[in-house]
């Protein structure tokens, strides 16, 4: 209830996720990222994904598991499919950010069931599918598509392309 903590500032609230014997501080509410804008920037340590809500995510190879499986072109859209999972904590990533080179196209939340043969199991709702207007692509080649999985742990990984 609103009156329960009258002097509490939002910045003072800390949320911890517990997996087994480990706890990790979650850096933002889950609903913050999917559907938001991202931009890629180069920092001293490498590339960084900057979100439109002011949170930066270091891009770390292998920090998030996943694969960008397929691209299908239709008359009015292009469909991208894949899966993404924070395997270390067995949870779905919060957002999948899609870029054409360094140009942001869209971010989505994983939303479909998919079987991940490498992990030997069906993972509920870690699959993603995005339909984008064909006009966004122009003469873009599939190799120029970059897809990043963003975890609530503050890391992102670029997914391998088909």
């Amino acid at each position: 209830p609103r009156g329960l903590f009258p002097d509490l500032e939002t910045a003072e609230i800390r949320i911890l996720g517990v997996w087994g014997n480990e706890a990790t501080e979650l850096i933002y509410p889950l609903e913050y990222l999917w559907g938001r804008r991202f931009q890629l920037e180069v920092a001293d340590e490498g590339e960084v994904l900057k979100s439109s809500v002011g949170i930066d995510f270091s891009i770390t190879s292998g920090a998030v598991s996943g694969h960008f499986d397929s691209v299908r072109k239709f008359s009015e859209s292009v469909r991208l499919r894949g899966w993404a999972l924070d395997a270390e904590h067995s949870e779905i990533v919060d957002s999948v950010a899609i870029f054409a080179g360094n140009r942001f196209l869209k971010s989505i939340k994983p939303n479909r069931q998919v079987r991940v043969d490498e992990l030997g199991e069906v993972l509920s709702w870690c699959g993603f599918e995005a339909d984008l207007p064909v006009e966004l692509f122009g003469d873009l080649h599939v190799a120029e598509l970059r897809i990043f999985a963003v975890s609530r742990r503050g890391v992102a990984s670029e997914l391998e392309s088909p």
Side-chain angles (χ1 to χ4, degrees):
R2 287 181 186 243
L4 190 59
F5 302 105
D7 298 327
L8 183 68
E9 296 289 326
T10 304
E12 295 173 13
I13 296 173
R14 296 177 66 195
I15 300 171
L16 300 176
V18 179
W19 298 270
N21 294 330
E22 293 181 33
T24 302
E25 185 168 357
L26 306 180
I27 59 171
Y28 56 86
L30 290 177
E31 65 274 6
Y32 266 14
L33 290 178
W34 61 275
R36 304 293 185 184
R37 298 188 59 77
F38 288 91
Q39 67 182 51
L40 276 171
E41 288 189 6
V42 178
D44 292 338
E45 315 81 46
E47 286 185 303
V48 174
L49 262 182
K50 293 185 160 285
S51 72
S52 61
V53 293
I55 301 170
D56 295 351
F57 297 87
S58 60
I59 298 172
T60 307
S61 179
V64 180
S65 303
H67 199 269
F68 163 32
D69 295 327
S70 67
V71 179
R72 262 185 96 183
K73 185 175 180 182
F74 298 98
S75 60
E76 295 183 16
S77 67
V78 174
R79 177 171 294 156
L80 310 173
R81 294 184 89 180
W83 62 275
L85 177 73
D86 186 342
E88 184 178 328
H89 294 115
S90 299
E91 63 183 25
I92 300 163
V93 299
D94 288 342
S95 185
V96 174
I98 304 165
F99 287 80
N102 289 333
R103 181 173 51 98
F104 175 76
L105 298 178
K106 184 176 188 173
S107 67
I108 59 170
K109 184 165 182 64
N111 60 359
R112 67 179 184 90
Q113 289 186 325
V114 64
R115 179 176 178 81
V116 180
D117 292 329
E118 300 97 281
L119 300 177
E121 58 186 283
V122 174
L123 300 167
S124 296
W125 312 112
C126 74
F128 63 86
E129 181 174 283
D131 288 319
L132 302 170
V134 75
E135 303 84 46
L136 286 177
F137 291 87
D139 59 357
L140 179 73
H141 293 74
V142 172
E144 296 175 83
L145 283 173
R146 299 182 73 189
I147 299 183
F148 297 88
V150 181
S151 167
R152 74 163 109 174
R153 291 185 299 125
V155 295
S157 294
E158 185 166 5
L159 303 182
E160 295 179 31
S161 59

